[in-house]
Amino acid sequence: MLEPRIKGAAFGAFLLLGSLLGAESAIGVNWGTVSFHKLKPSAVVDLLKDNKIEKVKLFEAEPDALRALAGSGIQVMVGIPNDLLAILSSSPAASDLWVRQNVSAYVGKDGVDIRYVAVGNEPFLTSYAGQYVNYVVPTLLNLQQSLAKANLAGSVKLVVPCNADAYEANLPSQGAFRPELTDIMTQLVSFLNTNGSPFVVNIYPFLSLYGSSDFPQDYAFFEGTTHPVTDGNNVYTNAFDGNFDTLVAALTKIGYSQMPIVIGEVGWPTDGALNANLSAARAFNQGLINHVLSNRGTPLRPGVPPMDLLKNARNVQYLPSRWCIADPTKDLSSVANHFRLACSEADCTTLNYGGSCNGIGAKGNISYAFNSYYQLRMQNSQSCDFDGIGLVTFLNPSVGECRFLVGVTDTSFAKFRACSNRLIYLVLVLWGLRFLGVY
């Protein structure tokens, strides 16, 4: 019930906008650029400023996003994808080039306030089978030298966002890093400590609930549980605290009991799986907000800095109220390829088992896929053709909780009304943009 073994890869898309924080208290978000309709970078920056967001993480050094952040006053963490770790670990020249192109080129007066570089993203994830493990520390060492050469080592810190499956235990106080990671984690944490960087971890209680039918549902939230975990004098009533303190114990075991910890990502999906819905996401996020504002902290790390709530996006302009569906008068026997095409580009997550549109039947599934593609293509008439099977309708085909979406114009802050769970959280839902804290 401690949720130390999270398999996060499959659900990362639900939570592209988790929480991030540097060494001091502030609100921040992860800015993911993988979406069906990318947000205009300048509009995203305006949205962040409207909500007094002081920190943001980019999963990659996206030039347009970095240019938009210039002069904004927002502190930035720039990410390095895992697939670059091999070359950066083996080539100081490649490391120097990366720093020149993705850090030095943007910092300076009226430039981007880059404070952190995230070296990989969950590189120790169990599902990677050790693919990136041996690259992490050499990459850190090369990048540290590159930052020193660029006179940036004092202002730009290196971190490694880790998944919570890097550590494990039956009780929080027994927390330890996975045996095969003990040596590498000791090296990593020593490096972070020496250079004044925090330990960054992503915690998703939803994945524990999703992965085990025996996991108590109420333990994933913050309203109390009928299945508390008693650990000596400490009692844990939610998975987040149990997970967090498992990490604290693991750090203590390798000699770093006071290591600052940053929550890199946390949140709850709104669709696409059992227990993934808006009400659950609202309950989780509001519960987390209340938990943070309570200043209680966790049993092993009491005391939490206060956080604020956020504003919604302004000036969202929708496309006309029309939808694309499968023509009920046409033979649908040859629709499979069209369905695959639509869902390969558009978001059909809600059709998954447990999703809000999972039970609308085969014809409903086809229509949902067609409409998602049609809205993605800004309601271009040809995008609803599908060899004559598609039909544009002005009657809303939504069924119960299954909402057929309408796109928004290119001039709006958002690019799709609920294009995916991650965009709902950024643009439309108060509960979505998250809060961070160093514990």
Side-chain angles (χ1 to χ4, degrees):
M1 291 195 296
L2 300 180
E3 193 231 356
R5 296 180 179 272
I6 295 178
K7 310 301 183 184
F11 286 92
F14 289 147
L15 302 154
L16 282 175
L17 300 170
S19 48
L20 162 76
L21 178 66
E24 62 280 350
S25 169
I27 293 174
V29 300
N30 289 305
W31 179 355
T33 58
V34 178
S35 63
F36 301 113
H37 274 161
K38 288 187 178 181
L39 297 139
K40 186 178 180 182
S42 61
V44 175
V45 173
D46 287 341
L47 178 59
L48 297 175
K49 292 167 68 175
D50 283 347
N51 283 286
K52 296 181 173 58
I53 301 298
E54 300 177 1
K55 300 173 185 290
V56 67
K57 173 187 171 184
L58 302 176
F59 286 87
E60 297 185 51
E62 223 297 318
D64 289 341
L66 286 167
R67 283 191 289 266
L69 286 162
S72 67
I74 297 172
Q75 297 176 13
V76 179
M77 178 185 286
V78 178
I80 297 177
N82 290 333
D83 57 10
L84 292 183
L85 298 183
I87 183 63
L88 293 177
S89 68
S90 62
S91 172
S95 176
D96 291 347
L97 179 61
W98 190 93
V99 169
R100 283 199 304 271
Q101 291 181 337
N102 301 293
V103 182
S104 300
Y106 296 100
V107 298
K109 185 179 180 181
D110 299 322
V112 184
D113 188 5
I114 297 176
R115 299 294 184 94
Y116 293 94
V117 171
V119 179
N121 187 46
E122 302 183 338
F124 307 118
L125 198 66
T126 307
S127 59
Y128 292 147
Q131 180 179 356
Y132 305 110
V133 168
N134 293 328
Y135 300 144
V136 174
V137 171
T139 298
L140 288 170
L141 296 174
N142 282 345
L143 286 171
Q144 188 66 26
Q145 290 299 315
S146 299
L147 290 170
K149 293 176 187 176
N151 295 316
L152 294 171
S155 58
V156 179
K157 302 298 182 181
L158 301 174
V159 296
V160 180
C162 293
N163 188 279
D165 81 342
Y167 47 92
E168 56 192 5
N170 292 320
L171 293 171
S173 63
Q174 300 171 0
F177 290 108
R178 298 197 325 256
E180 71 273 22
L181 293 180
T182 301
D183 289 343
I184 193 73
M185 281 297 183
T186 302
Q187 297 175 50
L188 167 60
V189 178
S190 175
F191 174 91
L192 297 174
N193 185 66
T194 298
N195 291 283
S197 298
F199 190 99
V200 178
V201 64
N202 303 333
I203 296 178
Y204 291 127
F206 168 79
L207 294 177
S208 291
L209 180 61
Y210 178 84
S212 173
S213 59
D214 296 327
F215 191 89
Q217 182 168 336
D218 57 6
Y219 190 66
F221 296 90
F222 296 90
E223 287 78 26
T225 178
T226 57
H227 300 80
V229 172
T230 300
D231 185 5
N233 294 326
N234 295 324
V235 177
Y236 292 86
T237 60
N238 66 81
F240 180 88
D241 285 357
N243 189 306
F244 189 94
D245 278 359
T246 304
L247 172 58
V248 173
L251 289 167
T252 301
K253 279 184 173 60
I254 62 172
Y256 295 92
S257 61
Q258 301 303 311
M259 185 72 191
I261 299 173
V262 166
I263 305 302
E265 300 176 25
V266 61
W268 197 276
T270 58
D271 213 332
L274 286 173
N275 302 302
N277 54 69
L278 188 58
S279 61
R282 182 183 293 115
F284 179 85
N285 288 318
Q286 187 61 61
L288 183 55
I289 289 171
N290 295 340
H291 188 53
V292 169
L293 291 176
S294 73
N295 289 323
R296 288 194 303 268
T298 67
L300 297 185
R301 287 280 177 95
V304 180
M307 306 296 161
D308 301 320
L309 298 181
L310 310 174
K311 303 175 183 177
N312 290 331
R314 298 175 284 108
N315 303 322
V316 177
Q317 300 173 4
Y318 295 102
L319 294 171
S321 294
R322 57 189 179 215
W323 297 262
C324 177
I325 62 172
D327 189 334
T329 67
K330 299 294 178 67
D331 178 12
L332 302 181
S333 60
S334 61
V335 78
N337 288 335
H338 297 303
F339 182 88
R340 280 193 291 268
L341 169 65
C343 289
S344 68
E345 296 192 30
D347 182 18
C348 296
T349 303
T350 60
L351 300 177
N352 292 346
Y353 177 69
S356 61
C357 297
N358 177 250
I360 61 175
K363 290 183 179 179
N365 290 347
I366 295 166
S367 290
Y368 187 92
F370 282 9
N371 183 65
S372 296
Y373 184 82
Y374 177 63
Q375 304 299 337
L376 173 65
R377 297 296 178 185
M378 305 303 293
Q379 297 187 355
N380 181 290
S381 59
Q382 293 182 343
S383 66
C384 188
D385 181 62
F386 297 105
D387 289 338
I389 299 176
L391 173 69
V392 173
T393 180
F394 295 90
L395 298 176
N396 190 336
S398 298
V399 179
E401 294 183 358
C402 177
R403 297 177 56 246
F404 281 59
L405 309 175
V406 172
V408 298
T409 67
D410 281 328
T411 58
S412 298
F413 279 149
K415 297 302 182 185
F416 198 6
R417 187 174 188 171
C419 162
S420 68
N421 304 308
R422 49 192 177 275
L423 294 190
I424 291 176
Y425 269 45
L426 175 61
V427 187
L428 299 177
V429 181
L430 172 66
W431 322 92
L433 291 180
R434 345 258 188 243
F435 17 78
L436 350 156
V438 170
Y439 291 71

